[in-house]
Amino acid sequence: AQVLFSVKLYTVHQYLNVTLFLYVFPQMIARGKNASDLFPAVVKNVACKNIEVKKLVYVYLVRYAEEQQDLALLSISTFQRGLKDPNQLIRASALRVLSSIRVTIIVPIMMLAIKEAASDMSPYVRKTAAHAIPKLHSLDPEQKDQLIEVIEKLLADKTTLVAGSVVMAFEEVCPDRIDLIHKNYRKLCNLLIDVEEWGQVVIINMLTRYARTQFLNPNINESLLEESSEKAFYASDDEEDEDKKAEAATLAKRKPYVMDPDHRLLLRNTKPLLQSRNAAVVMAVAQLYFHLAPKAEVGIIAKALVRLMRSHSEVQYVVLQNVATMTIKRRGMFEPYLKSFYIRSTDPTQIKILKLEVLTNLANETNISTILREFQTYIKSMDKDFVAASIQAIGRCATNIGEVRDTCLNGLVQLLSNRDELVVAESVVVIKKLLQMQPEQHSDIIKHMAKLIDNIQVPMARASILWLIGEYCEHVPKIAPDVLRNMAKTFTNEEDIVKLQIINLAAKLYLTNSKQTKLLTQYVLNLAKYDQNYDIRDRARFIRQLIVPTDKSGALSKYAKKLFLALKPAPVLQSTFKDRDHFQLGSLSHLLNAKAAGYQELPDWPESVPDPSVRNVEVKDSVCARRTVLTGPEESDSGSGSESASASDESGSGSESEESREETESEDEEEDEEKEKKRKKRLDKTKAKKPAEESAERCLVLPNVSCSAPSFPQRAEQWHRGQKTRQEGSEESEKCLRIRERIRKQRIRGRVGGGTIAPSGSIKMYELLHRITGEGLAVEYCFSRQPFSPDPNMVAVQIQFTNNTNSETKNLHIEEPRLQSGMRIREFTEIGLQPSGESVTVVMGIDFCDSTQAANFQLCTHTRKFFVSIQPPVGELMTPVFLTENDFKKEQGKLMGMNEISEKLMLGEKCVNEHVIVERVTATANLSRVPCGSEKECRFAGKTVSSGCLVLVTVPTKEGGAAQLTVNCEKMLIGTLLVKDIMQALSQ
Amino acid sequence: MIHSLFLINNAGDLFLEKHWKSVISRSVCDYFFEAREKAVEPDNVPPVIRTPHHYLINIYREKIFFVSVIQTEVPPLFVIEFLHRVAETFQDYFGECSESTIKDNVVIVYELLEEMLDNGFPLATESNILKELIRPPTILRSMVNTITGSSNVGETLPTGQLSTIPWRRAGVKYTNNEAYFDVVEEIDAILDKSGTTVFAEIQGVIDACVKLSGMPDLTLSFMNPRLLDDVSFHPCVRYKRWESERVISFVPPDGNFQLMSYHISAQNLVAIPVYVKQNISFFETGSSGRLDITVGPKQTMGKTVEGLVVTVHMPKVVLSANLNATQGTYNYDPVTKILVWDIGKLNPQKLPNLKGSLSLQSGAPKPEENPSLNIDLKIQQLAISGRLGSFISVGCDSLPAGPCDKALLLLTLF
């Protein structure tokens, strides 16, 4: 590589080839060298067939696109083509690279691509779409609103693959939109265990915040009790009575705390993750428990955190920081693991110091003796920083635990004769702090320290000793002046902090014992007056004015004694980790003890319960919701993937799902398995009966797999995935599906054949509301392919209501359509009365805006409301257009390039002649045939209903059943979908 | 999330950089170098360094610093864990994770990093998926590649990412279906001067090497699972089954992986297999000292102790050591002040002994503390936790290619 670089770059251009790619670029980029001159030559290779070259081109492109925006645009079309590839992995990788190119011009293209990918069939592509969202957001924050819509849609996704990525996108784009989580909360909790590790971390952190806003503090009663007891402890006698009254009032007000079942669900579903191998997951669960769990349950995290202490030192470092914070609030939790925090000689210093911190926090009356013994060995360590920290730790133990104060003090005094100066210095500083608490009893220690001043050289220690002698000069009246005398001799050679303390000592002695020290003080002050340091000169001047009475000296000198010899409060030795718990544990901000960019505050618990019903999800099938025994564990998986029909009793759904949830919770694994068996038995039984007769009953027995017809294979796969834990379960469910499918086909055929429906037999009926779900009301619909006269831009949908109940249904009408932007709906006139056992057919119009998005609305009767949705196949979004051969060719010529999608296919066995092909194509899409001279080619034309874009289809056939399908349409999405549908129809 | 990654060697050379978002100048590493200098020992570099605009999260592994640049709030452990995963992947691919192997395989390293993160968020970290995407280098392949110009990138698209068991690739086939499980237990103990145990715990891991066709579903059960105080699992293990039945049930990844790690803390179970008599003293006058260390067996349950190594961190004033070992070799490094005595196999009849004198820096005060000793050893075929290992049973629930040919249980204990 180095040799090549000496060659001038333009020669490189000419010889740019595979080898160069393989060896030069990674080297250049890895070393941070600028290789942007090669950009045009590289981009040429973007469509290269060699996968490795292709990947490296991607790397290169993403790296330099920002600098060479114009040239980067050359490559965009390649990715756009990739987005339409039938292979999901290619679609995903195209989206991944496209969204990584940081060029603002392509923002609209990216937006479109993300939107499309978000409704892709493949969960992997949807995952990639979720990954692309933060990229686009950082490139152009103005897209936020549109992106939130996509996030909302993806949050509803029920696959584990997508969950982690979309929550990550949520956290980056709109972490404050907590309302988007409500409906997905339970699903996320249930999926959590199967999500990949990194996604788990993100989801758990987000759910912690969510739970803090939605549930009540589980420790509310305890914290109140604590508060009141603390108050009582500190309160003076007068206040006590009042306090008691107030306390009684709060006690009376307080209701017994009942944990929200959703809160419990979160705690229960995260608990097993404490056993994850991934330290980040364990930490995430630990912080969740620390912030959300009732006090009695928090203890379980200790063991897992202690386990992390055996991991890499960086992991230990982070874990210890968090443990240190936890130990301040919940000491009891870690007490059993005290010995795990003992220090090893091989630990790095920073780990040792953190462990000391934890040990100090854990110290109490019962374990202090073992801890102190341990500390004693630490003092002998060779690591001086660690020794200093150990001495401070001893000091802190001594202040916190009164019983051992004397022992500690004696130990520290012994250290004063240590040979190591650092040890002595640190001890002096700590002793100074301790003595301040009870100076009266320890004048001998002060004397001992006064003697030490000749030997100790560390300035901080000397200063501390001087301060002590000055402060307690009354306890050592004889020694103090002598020390001052000695210090005056060496004053000029001392460090600044020592000099300041000498001045202080002099001043204090002057005030208490002016007879002996007057001259000495004058001398010291004179020396200080000519010192090099202005601080010292300043201090000297100030003190002289204050203590030496002169004519001019003001009123202050009267108070000099009060100023200098006031009783000073003892210092509080406390942990640096105190009050760090207002940061979410495990976060970067907590580690740094400062708010990092993008940190989301952990909200305080709400005062009153927020509405728990916001998390209720409309259950697919109201019958199933009630029959929990059947749905049991699959509830979370049921009906996954379909954005279609959801029918439920509006008024009753809340309480029903509440009920069902509780039931589910109480059941455990074994019961599930039993149920599985039970279901199997029933299935076997039903299989034996004749399907057509028994279909209704079977629908009841079958698990909750109601869905729209087209997505069966996908559904089976997802179902299968949901059953990962039980192999047998999945097999069984496939069986169910197969049966179910058969029933459905039969029913449709039966109805059509029975002549109950007006339109011709080739028109397919779709189910809108099953008669079980609809409590006797069955609704089916079809696309009649007639122009909708009130509004030509709408697709006509023919709806047939069948009343299977014994009573009549009244006031059938539509309410609350929830439509994608731009979509419109023309309701049918209300059906006033439908007698029992009769069918009524009406026509309504829907403007789908040329998209295959479902139209959702409520179907209401006089008693009930059902959520339903109509999703049109792409072929129904168009109406036939009559063109001549010439017109067709002309129009086709206009729709070339990006607007043309072409696929090769093998015709199915039954597609023997032209006639069958025409039949199949027209059955799939509402198109008309265009006359054509050649027999080997079929042409069709149509236009989309809403915007009137032309749709042209050409199918030339070749020998041996091969054919080519070409669709020309301005709307690429329609084109792609249509190709897919027609391909399927023809290759069957 | 993770913005950029810099790899820096022990000498402070930045030899690889990778950016997942827009490029961050390598000058950001100056803050790291500053911290590195301050820390003296590489172990003591703070894992999280704050700079005015970024946060640097780094790990130190195999004499390489992996320094990642972060711009916004992210759990630090998330990043640290990921960086370790990167290092492990390198190790997996190249046999070792060192500066030279990374430099030799820079293309693969780059491709790996590209696949592992997308926009700073982990995408594919499972080694099975990565290996499908990018084939690990072998000598033969790299030769063929140089000649034919073919590549290491897999021609097939990986399907593992699409399944819910991303750790296993589809369509695995072996003629011999084998599964090996290694149980490795470690005692971690702190002893005081007189040899009494201050703290001891047993940590164990079960490493597996599974070479089974299709999608096998295995279970592993312990006779005495109550001994396990604390466990952590590979994601393939079903938590629920463990919680309810204390059985480890899993669909294993293909090849080598660590199935679980566990912890046994009960003090009374821990029997330290050796004892050490040591006497290290420094004379008050004359700059010298004496050293005498003897190692002997204690509760080895009839097994031989192997790989015995004694490491002593000497005080700074010790200049050199003039010793005599009855067995093995010793080496004193005057720069790091570490004395290493490699004994090898412990012979219970003739106890190894290291004896001799130490010379100190003249004039320096006598070191007041005795140095601490680290003792490493290995015992094959012995479970310290005693009752655990001998009762492990492995069952294959479903193997499409017939029953398990060999379900071997290989215990390398301690």
Side-chain angles (χ1 to χ4, degrees):
Chain A
Q2 294 301 325
V3 179
L4 274 166
F5 277 109
S6 58
V7 184
K8 283 192 176 164
L9 279 174
Y10 62 84
T11 54
V12 177
H13 282 217
Q14 291 171 354
Y15 297 107
L16 196 68
N17 58 18
V18 175
T19 328
L20 196 64
F21 268 115
L22 296 186
Y23 300 106
V24 181
F25 287 139
Q27 303 269 1
M28 285 176 86
I29 299 174
R31 280 152 202 241
K33 291 210 171 86
N34 191 354
S36 59
D37 292 341
L38 300 172
F39 201 92
V42 176
V43 171
K44 273 198 310 206
N45 288 286
V46 76
C48 179
K49 285 275 180 283
N50 182 325
I51 296 182
E52 183 155 29
V53 171
K54 203 173 195 162
K55 281 197 170 172
L56 290 167
V57 172
Y58 288 175
V59 172
Y60 183 89
L61 190 69
V62 170
R63 167 72 177 75
Y64 289 109
E66 229 169 337
E67 296 165 26
Q68 310 248 341
Q69 306 214 346
D70 294 344
L71 286 166
L73 293 178
L74 293 177
S75 62
I76 302 293
S77 62
T78 317
F79 301 121
Q80 280 182 307
R81 224 172 299 139
L83 288 172
K84 298 195 168 55
D85 198 282
N87 186 327
Q88 49 176 339
L89 290 157
I90 293 179
R91 286 203 300 278
S93 86
L95 178 63
R96 199 181 147 198
V97 181
L98 179 70
S99 56
S100 298
I101 297 175
R102 288 173 291 272
V103 177
T104 18
I105 303 173
I106 62 161
V107 164
I109 297 178
M110 273 161 81
M111 192 70 222
L112 201 74
I114 290 175
K115 276 186 176 166
E116 244 172 69
S119 41
D120 199 284
M121 295 277 277
S122 150
Y124 185 63
V125 177
R126 297 202 295 273
K127 181 190 174 79
T128 318
H131 275 270
I133 291 170
K135 298 186 207 169
L136 181 53
H137 181 247
S138 67
L139 186 63
D140 183 7
E142 281 179 16
Q143 305 290 324
K144 190 173 172 181
D145 292 339
Q146 285 197 59
L147 286 175
I148 291 177
E149 271 173 38
V150 182
I151 290 176
E152 190 172 5
K153 184 171 178 189
L154 285 172
L155 273 173
D157 205 294
K158 287 173 180 92
T159 51
T160 51
L161 211 54
V162 183
S165 305
V166 67
V167 172
M168 184 269 301
F170 171 85
E171 290 282 78
E172 292 216 357
V173 178
C174 52
D176 44 345
R177 285 291 301 276
I178 218 92
D179 55 298
L180 297 181
I181 305 299
H182 291 320
K183 293 268 179 244
N184 303 301
Y185 172 83
R186 285 175 198 158
K187 183 194 70 199
L188 282 174
C189 286
N190 287 324
L191 288 183
L192 193 58
I193 200 147
D194 291 328
V195 175
E196 38 91 39
E197 305 161 287
W198 312 107
Q200 284 173 346
V201 179
V202 182
I203 295 177
I204 294 171
N205 279 322
M206 187 275 290
L207 288 179
T208 310
R209 265 194 2 258
Y210 177 86
R212 269 296 185 101
T213 59
Q214 299 300 322
F215 307 127
L216 285 182
N217 186 354
N219 299 317
I220 191 150
N221 295 347
E222 286 164 56
S223 62
L224 269 176
L225 274 176
E226 253 168 43
E227 247 171 57
S228 52
S229 66
E230 247 170 61
K231 250 188 220 161
F233 187 77
Y234 290 113
S236 62
D237 292 359
D238 316 319
E239 285 171 67
E240 213 162 1
D241 286 343
E242 278 172 41
D243 269 349
K244 268 184 185 159
K245 267 180 218 160
E247 201 182 302
T250 49
L251 275 169
K253 242 188 278 170
R254 202 161 61 208
K255 282 178 220 151
Y257 170 79
V258 181
M259 188 183 270
D260 189 305
D262 285 330
H263 191 170
R264 175 53 63 203
L265 178 75
L266 177 61
L267 291 177
R268 200 186 40 219
N269 282 3
T270 48
K271 191 177 160 193
L273 293 178
L274 281 174
Q275 263 142 24
S276 172
R277 64 164 174 181
N278 188 320
V281 176
V282 177
M283 190 65 231
V285 179
Q287 65 83 23
L288 180 127
Y289 262 77
F290 184 79
H291 290 300
L292 299 180
K295 224 174 184 178
E297 290 168 43
V298 181
I300 59 161
I301 65 173
K303 196 186 272 178
L305 288 177
V306 169
R307 182 181 69 233
L308 296 187
M309 305 264 305
R310 284 172 240 130
S311 188
H312 303 283
S313 81
E314 296 87 6
V315 175
Q316 284 186 37
Y317 177 82
V318 178
V319 171
L320 281 169
Q321 296 252 2
N322 287 293
V323 169
T325 306
M326 290 185 196
T327 46
I328 287 175
K329 218 175 170 192
R330 306 256 160 87
R331 186 166 58 194
M333 203 163 93
F334 288 97
E335 260 169 34
Y337 303 99
L338 182 75
K339 288 194 171 173
S340 304
F341 298 100
Y342 278 7
I343 288 148
R344 290 148 214 271
S345 57
T346 44
D347 285 333
T349 312
Q350 48 185 353
I351 300 288
K352 287 180 184 164
I353 290 172
L354 281 169
K355 280 187 173 173
L356 264 183
E357 176 72 37
V358 173
L359 284 175
T360 318
N361 289 342
L362 289 178
N364 61 16
E365 284 81 358
T366 47
N367 59 23
I368 185 69
S369 55
T370 42
I371 290 183
L372 279 181
R373 205 175 318 131
E374 194 61 24
F375 282 177
Q376 267 168 13
T377 51
Y378 298 165
I379 289 164
K380 291 180 190 150
S381 164
M382 273 176 273
D383 186 342
K384 290 307 161 209
D385 292 335
F386 169 54
V387 173
S390 304
I391 294 171
Q392 278 176 5
I394 294 175
R396 260 183 55 204
C397 288
T399 47
N400 295 340
I401 301 161
E403 285 90 333
V404 292
R405 195 168 296 155
D406 289 343
T407 333
C408 288
L409 207 51
N410 287 336
L412 288 170
V413 171
Q414 274 167 28
L415 286 181
L416 289 177
S417 48
N418 195 296
R419 212 167 325 179
D420 195 300
E421 197 169 84
L422 269 166
V423 174
V424 179
E426 201 63 43
S427 315
V428 167
V429 176
V430 174
I431 290 173
K432 183 200 107 184
K433 289 180 183 163
L434 286 179
L435 283 185
Q436 247 179 298
M437 294 178 165
Q438 35 187 187
E440 307 77 26
Q441 305 152 21
H442 299 291
S443 55
D444 50 332
I445 295 178
I446 299 173
K447 273 178 211 155
H448 182 71
M449 287 173 77
K451 282 178 206 152
L452 277 176
I453 197 137
D454 297 333
N455 303 324
I456 296 178
Q457 296 307 320
V458 179
M460 190 59 210
R462 286 175 78 87
S464 294
I465 296 177
L466 291 173
W467 184 88
L468 261 181
I469 295 170
E471 190 66 23
Y472 305 114
C473 51
E474 282 149 357
H475 300 289
V476 282
K478 288 190 182 140
I479 296 172
D482 198 47
V483 171
L484 183 62
R485 185 181 58 82
N486 279 329
M487 295 318 293
K489 271 196 254 175
T490 57
F491 185 87
T492 44
N493 299 326
E494 297 290 349
E495 286 279 333
D496 288 348
I497 46 168
V498 184
K499 284 177 179 171
L500 287 175
Q501 289 307 327
I502 296 174
I503 299 171
N504 269 349
L505 174 65
K508 285 171 185 169
L509 285 177
Y510 184 89
L511 291 171
T512 52
N513 186 4
S514 60
K515 212 190 282 171
Q516 274 188 305
T517 56
K518 192 173 178 183
L519 283 171
L520 260 177
T521 308
Q522 294 282 4
Y523 176 66
V524 169
L525 288 176
N526 279 336
L527 282 177
K529 191 176 171 185
Y530 300 105
D531 199 272
Q532 280 182 324
N533 186 306
Y534 51 76
D535 253 357
I536 293 167
R537 296 199 299 273
D538 187 50
R539 179 73 63 89
R541 205 172 301 133
F542 159 71
I543 284 180
R544 189 192 295 272
Q545 288 299 321
L546 204 59
I547 58 173
V548 184
T550 55
D551 315 333
K552 282 184 229 162
S553 66
L556 262 182
S557 59
K558 270 185 266 172
Y559 302 105
K561 208 163 185 173
K562 270 194 182 161
L563 280 174
F564 279 101
L565 294 168
L567 208 62
K568 294 171 185 76
V572 187
L573 297 177
Q574 66 181 17
S575 169
T576 46
F577 287 88
K578 204 163 188 259
D579 294 332
R580 263 205 210 184
D581 61 333
H582 63 270
F583 286 115
Q584 186 168 3
L585 284 176
S587 66
L588 185 61
S589 306
H590 169 266
L591 189 87
L592 298 167
N593 200 13
K595 216 170 147 181
Y599 173 73
Q600 292 288 318
E601 288 284 351
L602 196 61
D604 266 335
W605 294 102
E607 296 274 312
S608 57
V609 203
D611 181 17
S613 65
V614 287
R615 282 182 294 280
N616 289 347
V617 185
E618 300 147 6
V619 184
K620 287 277 120 79
D621 199 332
S622 55
V623 174
C624 289
R626 236 175 272 144
R627 301 183 66 105
T628 333
V629 190
L630 288 178
T631 57
E634 285 80 34
E635 203 163 42
S636 64
D637 301 323
S638 65
S640 56
S642 86
E643 283 105 44
S644 65
S646 58
S648 152
D649 172 352
E650 173 90 321
S651 57
S653 73
S655 59
E656 265 169 25
S657 56
E658 197 87 35
E659 244 175 62
S660 67
R661 199 179 56 230
E662 269 158 24
E663 271 182 61
T664 327
E665 271 162 26
S666 62
E667 293 155 2
D668 57 26
E669 196 70 8
E670 286 161 41
E671 272 180 78
D672 288 352
E673 250 148 35
E674 264 171 43
K675 257 181 287 165
E676 207 82 89
K677 276 176 207 156
K678 229 187 270 171
R679 190 194 297 156
K680 205 171 189 172
K681 261 185 214 159
R682 286 210 200 176
L683 263 175
D684 291 343
K685 219 178 4 182
T686 49
K687 231 194 296 177
K689 297 178 185 174
K690 280 183 184 170
E693 293 163 13
E694 300 295 326
S695 67
E697 187 200 317
R698 200 165 306 127
C699 288
L700 271 172
V701 179
L702 285 167
N704 185 5
V705 284
S706 74
C707 57
S708 54
S711 55
F712 261 116
Q714 189 197 351
R715 177 172 305 280
E717 190 187 303
Q718 271 160 352
W719 176 270
H720 191 93
R721 200 171 295 148
Q723 295 288 318
K724 188 174 107 195
T725 43
R726 284 184 302 273
Q727 206 93 23
E728 43 165 15
S730 63
E731 284 168 21
E732 200 181 305
S733 64
E734 267 171 341
K735 236 179 272 164
C736 298
L737 281 170
R738 250 177 278 132
I739 297 169
R740 173 96 191 182
E741 201 168 12
R742 207 161 58 219
I743 298 164
R744 177 183 295 276
K745 275 182 187 160
Q746 265 181 354
R747 196 179 52 237
I748 290 170
R749 230 179 291 136
R751 286 281 162 76
V752 172
T756 47
I757 302 162
S760 71
S762 70
I763 288 179
K764 209 170 164 188
M765 294 297 286
Y766 303 90
E767 183 178 85
L768 193 59
L769 189 65
H770 189 262
R771 71 167 208 236
I772 312 270
T773 326
E775 298 182 343
L777 181 70
V779 186
E780 290 186 314
Y781 67 94
C782 65
F783 296 93
S784 62
R785 296 195 171 179
Q786 307 291 330
F788 189 65
S789 47
D791 188 334
N793 288 343
M794 286 188 173
V795 178
V797 184
Q798 189 171 341
I799 302 180
Q800 187 193 25
F801 299 92
T802 312
N803 185 357
N804 297 320
T805 54
N806 298 327
S807 58
E808 45 197 27
T809 312
K810 284 181 210 156
N811 301 11
L812 265 170
H813 65 283
I814 287 173
E815 252 181 36
E816 285 184 41
R818 277 181 302 149
L819 303 170
Q820 304 284 327
S821 61
M823 271 202 207
R824 291 172 304 135
I825 210 161
R826 173 73 66 108
E827 294 161 23
F828 55 88
T829 44
E830 188 176 305
I831 302 171
L833 190 83
Q834 195 187 7
S836 147
E838 281 194 23
S839 297
V840 179
T841 306
V842 292
V843 178
M844 67 185 284
I846 302 174
D847 181 358
F848 285 104
C849 275
D850 294 347
S851 87
T852 49
Q853 300 281 355
N856 301 303
F857 52 86
Q858 283 182 24
L859 205 57
C860 307
T861 67
H862 62 297
T863 50
R864 304 255 332 216
K865 292 177 181 176
F866 305 102
F867 286 96
V868 292
S869 79
I870 293 180
Q871 187 166 23
V874 66
E876 305 297 344
L877 294 174
M878 44 201 75
T879 58
V881 172
F882 298 98
L883 293 177
T884 63
E885 194 173 355
N886 282 344
D887 285 345
F888 186 89
K889 287 209 165 137
K890 209 165 80 189
E891 293 295 339
Q892 198 176 25
K894 287 184 199 164
L895 294 168
M896 299 301 279
M898 296 275 280
N899 298 322
E900 182 175 278
I901 299 156
S902 194
E903 287 286 347
K904 284 206 175 86
L905 72 144
M906 289 301 291
L907 292 174
E909 279 172 26
K910 286 178 190 164
C911 289
V912 278
N913 56 20
E914 201 191 12
H915 180 70
V916 183
I917 295 176
V918 174
E919 199 176 80
R920 293 258 167 109
V921 173
T922 47
T924 315
N926 193 6
L927 299 170
S928 68
R929 184 145 185 227
V930 175
C932 175
S934 151
E935 274 187 20
K936 300 234 171 224
E937 192 165 313
C938 303
R939 292 173 185 163
F940 307 90
K943 60 173 188 181
T944 59
V945 178
S946 180
S947 54
C949 297
L950 271 182
V951 182
L952 308 176
V953 178
T954 326
V955 189
T957 50
K958 286 175 201 143
E959 293 297 314
Q964 170 127 11
L965 171 67
T966 310
V967 172
N968 301 70
C969 179
E970 210 174 286
K971 302 230 164 192
M972 280 185 282
L973 183 62
I974 298 251
T976 322
L977 291 170
L978 192 61
V979 166
K980 222 180 276 169
D981 282 6
I982 296 179
M983 288 264 285
Q984 206 183 357
L986 289 181
S987 50
Q988 262 168 17
Chain B
M1 293 282 159
I2 300 165
H3 216 294
S4 303
L5 176 71
F6 297 99
L7 298 192
I8 297 168
N9 68 10
N10 228 348
D13 296 327
L14 201 166
F15 65 93
L16 190 116
E17 63 179 77
K18 165 85 188 135
H19 308 275
W20 283 278
K21 297 184 184 182
S22 47
V23 180
I24 288 178
S25 156
R26 51 168 68 191
S27 64
V28 74
C29 290
D30 292 348
Y31 294 98
F32 169 78
F33 292 130
E34 206 176 286
R36 166 76 183 84
E37 221 160 272
K38 219 157 103 191
V40 187
E41 292 288 319
D43 280 343
N44 272 328
V45 179
V48 182
I49 300 166
R50 196 173 166 189
T51 77
H53 302 290
H54 305 94
Y55 306 96
L56 305 178
I57 298 186
N58 64 79
I59 64 162
Y60 180 65
R61 230 178 126 149
E62 318 291 334
K63 295 183 179 155
I64 301 170
F65 286 101
F66 291 71
V67 182
S68 62
V69 185
I70 310 293
Q71 269 187 324
T72 52
E73 169 67 47
V74 59
L77 269 185
F78 185 95
V79 182
I80 289 171
E81 187 75 28
F82 175 78
L83 293 177
H84 279 296
R85 206 59 73 79
V86 171
E88 272 152 30
T89 309
F90 289 167
Q91 211 155 9
D92 195 21
Y93 264 77
F94 315 129
E96 56 163 353
C97 173
S98 69
E99 187 186 346
S100 61
T101 51
I102 290 176
K103 276 182 171 168
D104 290 347
N105 297 292
V106 81
V107 178
I108 295 183
V109 166
Y110 231 74
E111 286 166 348
L112 281 173
L113 291 176
E114 184 69 25
E115 290 300 333
M116 290 180 87
L117 277 187
D118 180 18
N119 194 36
F121 192 79
L123 190 66
T125 50
E126 278 299 333
S127 109
N128 261 298
I129 295 184
L130 287 171
K131 282 193 176 153
E132 250 183 288
L133 284 165
I134 302 150
R135 290 192 213 111
T138 59
I139 296 171
L140 185 70
R141 182 153 338 108
S142 60
M143 258 169 60
V144 172
N145 286 353
T146 338
I147 297 162
T148 61
S150 60
S151 69
N152 286 316
V153 174
E155 294 289 331
T156 50
L157 290 153
T159 47
Q161 269 169 309
L162 303 175
S163 81
T164 39
I165 36 173
W167 55 84
R168 190 171 180 91
R169 61 196 166 92
V172 185
K173 264 202 186 118
Y174 288 102
T175 41
N176 286 333
N177 283 312
E178 302 172 305
Y180 298 91
F181 294 89
D182 283 1
V183 181
V184 182
E185 287 191 346
E186 281 178 25
I187 296 186
D188 221 336
I190 306 175
L191 306 182
D192 68 7
K193 219 189 294 177
S194 57
T196 40
T197 312
V198 174
F199 172 68
E201 60 180 10
I202 297 174
Q203 294 166 39
V205 292
I206 298 184
D207 285 325
C209 176
V210 177
K211 292 181 175 176
L212 298 172
S213 314
M215 278 285 169
D217 199 327
L218 307 182
T219 52
L220 197 136
S221 51
F222 299 100
M223 211 55 176
N224 202 352
R226 268 173 305 142
L227 279 177
L228 301 176
D229 187 35
D230 181 32
V231 285
S232 71
F233 296 119
H234 188 274
C236 69
V237 176
R238 298 180 180 108
Y239 293 113
K240 274 196 180 150
R241 190 93 189 269
W242 169 254
E243 275 186 2
S244 57
E245 301 168 51
R246 298 278 138 176
V247 163
I248 299 172
S249 151
F250 57 102
V251 176
D254 188 37
N256 294 309
F257 67 103
Q258 192 185 85
L259 178 65
M260 67 178 288
S261 66
Y262 59 89
H263 175 65
I264 296 170
S265 72
Q267 290 266 339
N268 49 1
L269 282 174
V270 183
I272 314 287
V274 294
Y275 70 89
V276 177
K277 274 190 207 150
Q278 50 90 20
N279 184 14
I280 303 171
S281 55
F282 302 102
F283 301 123
E284 208 59 66
T285 51
S287 44
S288 66
R290 207 179 57 216
L291 179 139
D292 188 347
I293 303 174
T294 310
V295 186
K298 195 173 125 186
Q299 292 166 307
T300 55
M301 302 176 206
K303 303 281 200 283
T304 42
V305 178
E306 295 169 32
L308 196 58
V309 178
V310 178
T311 315
V312 189
H313 290 260
M314 288 293 182
K316 291 254 172 346
V317 290
V318 178
L319 281 183
S320 65
N322 185 15
L323 306 169
N324 188 16
T326 59
Q327 189 187 339
T329 52
Y330 80 93
N331 177 35
Y332 180 68
D333 184 346
V335 182
T336 54
K337 310 283 178 196
I338 295 173
L339 173 72
V340 180
W341 179 27
D342 190 345
I343 301 170
K345 207 179 259 180
L346 179 68
N347 182 1
Q349 271 76 48
K350 192 166 163 284
L351 299 180
N353 171 270
L354 183 71
K355 205 173 187 175
S357 63
L358 304 166
S359 63
L360 310 183
Q361 208 174 333
S362 58
K366 160 187 132 125
E368 58 200 79
E369 81 281 7
N370 281 332
S372 60
L373 278 70
N374 290 332
I375 296 143
D376 298 303
L377 58 127
K378 268 185 210 159
I379 303 176
Q380 301 276 353
Q381 311 280 320
L382 172 72
I384 304 302
S385 56
R387 285 156 271 177
L388 184 71
S390 46
F391 295 111
I392 295 174
S393 70
V394 181
C396 295
D397 278 0
S398 68
L399 264 183
C404 203
D405 291 342
K406 293 171 194 167
L408 287 184
L409 195 64
L410 190 85
L411 298 177
T412 42
L413 294 166
F414 194 74

